[in-house]
Amino acid sequence: MATQTFSSKPFLPSLHFSKRPPASISAFSRRLSVLASATTATWTPAPLSVVSPATSDSSIFHVVTDLSSSPSLSSSYSSPGQYLQVRVSGSDSKPAFMAIASPPTLEGKFEFLIKRVPGSTAELICGLKEGDLVELGPVMGKGFPIERIEEPQGADSVFIFATGTGISATRSLIESDFPTNKKADVRLYYGARNLQIMAYQDRFQAWESSGVTVIPVLSQPDNSWIGETGYVQNAFLKTKPALNPSSTGVVLCGQKEMAEEITSSFLADGVPKDKILTNF
């Protein structure tokens, strides 16, 4: 709970503590609450219905859990960008925090996009097969606060930025009830090292049909690539359109450095901070 010269530090929910000034006490307290809930979590067993590579190099997997016997857990997922803990049944490996990739409108199952990190719980999960059991903790987090860029305040233009497996939570938003067709301009800048590790390419056409302009950005493409290259933030800043700050919304999910640079750029343009959304 993951890119172009990607940092190993994810921008999505993390339980890593760092030194912070007193102004961050409230954020620190929220992380303590997450830790507390992690130790008292109620675990729900769920069989896997799909375990398959999501990228051509098999470094990232598409995993689906069957929740047909756990309707209360399924229905507790209400907002794109929420996440939970996953552990392997019978294993003493540390539970992993994972964003739910499927939208809340998809009932009876949770889908995940999992990077196969050696020695991790994620690697164990990617090595399972259909019918094997995992255990899911309760759904956590408030997700993306989309109401901030919806009516009546609204946002005619929405810029979505994702790197690596940060695209999982982004997918949950794009395929939810997020009304893309009601907005004049919705763009997704999605960064990965190359096409071999870029997930969800098979969904791009559907996303475009829903009103999202998909802009893949590759940091280390092969010679046949004619699209955007480099870092996501640089690709955006290079062609940044004129903005109306009062009607612009931003969604961020992925590499920390990318999120910080994008945030600084939009704040400098006058976009209100509460219209720059993350899922934690």
Side-chain angles (χ1 to χ4, degrees):
M1 263 199 337
T3 96
Q4 351 151 317
T5 305
F6 301 146
S7 165
S8 60
K9 297 181 181 179
F11 184 62
L12 279 173
S14 171
L15 296 183
H16 295 248
F17 292 90
S18 58
K19 294 180 180 180
R20 295 179 181 273
S24 297
I25 290 177
S26 61
F28 182 81
S29 298
R30 287 196 297 273
R31 289 176 180 237
L32 285 179
S33 297
V34 170
L35 282 173
S37 63
T39 61
T40 59
T42 299
W43 296 97
T44 301
L48 300 179
S49 58
V50 175
V51 184
S52 63
T55 57
S56 61
D57 72 342
S58 298
S59 64
I60 300 176
F61 272 66
H62 176 58
V63 174
V64 182
T65 56
D66 181 357
L67 299 181
S68 57
S69 297
S70 308
S72 60
L73 179 60
S74 178
S75 62
S76 69
Y77 175 35
S78 59
S79 178
Q82 289 182 299
Y83 55 95
L84 45 68
Q85 287 182 290
V86 185
R87 68 185 186 185
V88 177
S89 297
S91 170
D92 59 0
S93 62
K94 184 179 179 180
F97 282 86
M98 296 183 181
I100 304 171
S102 47
T105 50
L106 188 63
E107 299 179 354
K109 61 182 178 180
F110 286 162
E111 300 186 12
F112 300 95
L113 192 65
I114 302 177
K115 185 174 182 178
R116 193 171 197 166
V117 179
S120 69
T121 296
E123 183 181 43
L124 289 178
I125 295 171
C126 294
L128 297 177
K129 60 184 182 301
E130 182 179 335
D132 286 342
L133 287 177
V134 294
E135 296 177 352
L136 306 178
V139 174
M140 306 173 72
K142 295 182 179 179
F144 294 110
I146 299 302
E147 66 279 358
R148 296 182 190 171
I149 57 174
E150 294 301 330
E151 300 298 340
Q153 294 81 13
D156 292 330
S157 298
V158 178
F159 299 90
I160 305 171
F161 300 89
T163 56
T165 52
I167 195 63
S168 57
T170 306
R171 175 202 158 191
S172 72
L173 171 62
I174 293 173
E175 296 183 8
S176 70
D177 293 329
F178 182 60
T180 54
N181 286 320
K182 296 180 181 179
K183 300 183 183 301
D185 185 12
V186 181
R187 306 185 193 186
L188 166 64
Y189 290 81
Y190 173 18
R193 188 178 303 118
N194 52 54
L195 289 178
Q196 287 67 45
I197 62 170
M198 177 169 274
Y200 295 148
Q201 294 178 53
D202 59 336
R203 311 187 84 89
F204 289 176
Q205 184 174 354
W207 293 353
E208 292 263 2
S209 296
S210 73
V212 179
T213 299
V214 180
I215 305 168
V217 184
L218 304 183
S219 62
Q220 297 178 23
D222 61 30
N223 293 332
S224 66
W225 178 249
I226 60 173
E228 294 290 340
T229 61
Y231 296 96
V232 163
Q233 56 269 39
N234 294 339
F236 168 71
L237 294 173
K238 181 175 63 177
T239 59
K240 185 171 68 171
L243 302 176
N244 179 348
S246 64
S247 63
T248 296
V250 183
V251 178
L252 301 169
C253 197
Q255 188 190 36
K256 181 179 179 181
E257 290 81 358
M258 174 275 290
E260 290 175 344
E261 290 186 38
I262 290 294
T263 296
S264 295
S265 174
F266 278 103
L267 289 177
D269 287 335
V271 175
K273 189 174 183 178
D274 67 353
K275 289 191 176 182
I276 302 175
L277 313 182
T278 64
N279 65 324
F280 68 96

